[in-house]
Amino acid sequence: MKKKLTLLFLLTFVLSSIFAEYSEKDFEYRFLSKNQKSFLAKVEKSVNIDSDYLMITEYKGKSNVVEIPKEIEGYPVIASVFQNDGRNNKITKVLVPESIIWLSCPYIWHSRSETYENPLSASIELTGSRKALLLMNGRCFRFFRKLPYDVNILVNDEIHFGNVSTVKWSKNWKTNPHPRDCTDFGINNLDNPGYWQEYKQVKVKGLWSDIKAGFQNEGGFYIPQVYDEYKSIKEFIFEEGCEEVTKCFLGKCNELEKVIIPKSMKYIYRGHANSGYTLCGENIKQKIEIEVAPGAKIDFEAGGQFASIIPEEKVSLKTRKRFQELGYRFE
């Protein structure tokens, strides 16, 4: 009899650790401020600045699987910024409902040691039928077991994909600052409207224009870049339907060998000599092949003192020839 009771207890314990546990007392939360609602309403039409919404700020429970609630006491939960602070470093999965519009990465990144607080088995999963835009911290990508290619995502901060050799960038994923309003919507800065500057594309025609463009397009912005933490990304594919590449986007991927640009691509933002390049950085290990689909018509913001999409000496002759055919001028 004792053995049966012991077995039943162990089974109950195992099942409770597998399935998500949701209790309001497991979370800390607060109402979004008027400024926060105002910004979110700019990028997601379903947000009404006159309504009340909640933001999860802390998880205090002990479950290995955390289910973020859709609402608490009748108020919709549309933001989650909690991070595992070490008190429960056994969290292996975070379930994110379709109500969440603003998602910070729940797993803490230690920049000095370049490791995460949580084990490699940690994951993030989007649940439900999502229609709203998801403003998401780029580090979240690393924790998806299946990338949400069909979800409209606006990304900020560093972008991490983990230990993969090929990355496919969805047509549904956009990066800040272009073309939407530029905002560092991290935990600390969402309350500061001074960071919310509207991006204005400026054609660079000379030194003065280049300096002016820097002030208008770069001041106060944190530009998302793909970080190859495992030095494993060899190929980066922009899906057909992608229309632009943000400044310095692949400047940290030093092991890149190939980039594939679709016919739909319309605009590639210029790089900057002091902060990396758009399609490949100056520290890339080998010459890179950049394939551009036939029929593509791309507007390069090129020219001026610091303008560059790619360092000429880092690309193959075939790539050089193709870019010149598209009207790109190497400096």
Side-chain angles (χ1 to χ4, degrees):
M1 183 66 178
K2 288 183 177 179
K3 289 184 178 179
K4 290 182 178 180
L5 288 172
T6 302
L7 184 61
L8 181 61
F9 173 78
L10 288 173
L11 183 61
T12 303
F13 176 78
V14 170
L15 288 174
S16 66
S17 65
I18 293 175
F19 295 102
E21 177 184 326
Y22 160 49
S23 174
E24 290 180 9
K25 69 179 187 307
D26 290 336
F27 296 94
E28 290 285 347
Y29 41 86
R30 62 181 172 85
F31 286 107
L32 270 71
S33 69
K34 185 176 180 179
N35 284 340
Q36 290 170 328
K37 290 187 292 183
S38 177
F39 166 65
L40 294 178
K42 289 181 180 179
V43 295
E44 173 49 50
K45 294 180 180 179
S46 65
V47 176
N48 184 343
I49 59 175
D50 295 322
S51 299
D52 292 317
Y53 302 99
L54 292 175
M55 174 168 61
I56 300 294
T57 58
E58 184 180 347
Y59 176 71
K60 303 183 295 183
K62 296 181 179 180
S63 176
N64 291 354
V65 180
V66 180
E67 181 181 7
I68 299 173
K70 294 181 183 179
E71 62 177 41
I72 296 176
E73 297 184 18
Y75 294 105
V77 177
I78 67 169
S80 175
V81 299
F82 87 86
Q83 290 185 318
N84 182 13
D85 61 3
R87 287 185 295 179
N88 179 8
N89 59 7
K90 295 183 180 180
I91 296 176
T92 57
K93 181 182 287 188
V94 177
L95 301 174
V96 181
E98 66 273 19
S99 65
I100 296 295
I101 294 171
W102 171 26
L103 179 65
S104 179
C105 183
Y107 303 110
I108 294 177
W109 169 257
H110 298 289
S111 57
R112 289 186 178 180
S113 60
E114 295 191 346
T115 58
Y116 284 88
E117 184 80 25
N118 302 75
L120 292 174
S121 60
S123 66
I124 295 173
E125 183 179 324
L126 303 182
T127 63
S129 179
R130 175 172 287 277
K131 296 180 181 179
L133 174 77
L134 179 63
L135 288 85
M136 190 178 79
N137 182 288
R139 290 174 178 151
C140 291
F141 278 119
R142 181 186 187 275
F143 297 101
F144 284 108
R145 295 294 165 256
K146 184 179 180 182
L147 288 172
Y149 286 111
D150 58 342
V151 176
N152 289 324
I153 294 175
L154 176 59
V155 188
N156 85 315
D157 214 329
E158 299 173 3
I159 300 170
H160 294 254
F161 284 98
N163 190 8
V164 293
S165 59
T166 299
V167 172
K168 181 175 154 185
W169 186 261
S170 171
K171 63 183 178 183
N172 298 311
W173 303 342
K174 309 296 182 185
T175 56
N176 180 50
H178 186 75
R180 298 180 184 271
D181 287 342
C182 259
T183 307
D184 179 349
F185 44 82
I187 297 172
N188 298 320
N189 291 328
L190 192 63
D191 280 316
N192 184 355
Y195 282 86
W196 306 353
Q197 303 179 43
E198 184 177 355
Y199 178 91
K200 295 180 180 178
Q201 182 175 315
V202 176
K203 292 292 182 181
V204 177
K205 298 179 180 178
L207 176 58
W208 171 242
S209 177
D210 191 36
I211 294 172
K212 185 178 178 182
F215 280 111
Q216 290 182 324
N217 293 347
E218 297 166 18
F221 301 158
Y222 189 95
I223 301 166
Q225 288 182 280
V226 178
Y227 279 72
D228 189 6
E229 63 202 78
Y230 289 100
K231 302 187 184 339
S232 58
I233 299 177
K234 307 294 183 184
E235 183 179 48
F236 203 96
I237 302 169
F238 290 94
E239 182 184 32
E240 178 62 40
C242 291
E243 295 187 349
E244 64 180 38
V245 181
T246 316
K247 172 185 172 183
C248 304
F249 192 61
L250 299 179
K252 298 291 184 180
C253 297
N254 295 332
E255 307 293 328
L256 264 181
E257 296 175 359
K258 180 183 287 188
V259 177
I260 297 179
I261 306 293
K263 182 180 178 180
S264 58
M265 188 65 67
K266 295 180 180 178
Y267 183 81
I268 297 180
Y269 189 80
R270 66 187 181 88
H272 195 292
N274 296 329
S275 58
Y277 297 83
T278 306
L279 294 179
C280 65
E282 57 188 354
N283 295 321
I284 199 164
K285 299 291 179 63
Q286 62 284 310
K287 289 195 173 183
I288 188 172
E289 189 74 41
I290 303 174
E291 295 184 2
V292 183
K297 295 180 180 179
I298 302 173
D299 180 12
F300 300 103
E301 188 169 351
Q305 185 180 10
F306 300 115
S308 181
I309 303 294
I310 44 179
E312 185 175 5
E313 69 279 4
K314 296 294 184 178
V315 297
S316 67
L317 286 173
K318 182 180 178 181
T319 296
R320 259 188 253 181
K321 183 175 183 295
R322 182 73 179 100
F323 269 68
Q324 287 171 342
E325 289 172 351
L326 290 166
Y328 178 75
R329 180 168 60 90
F330 288 95
E331 297 297 323

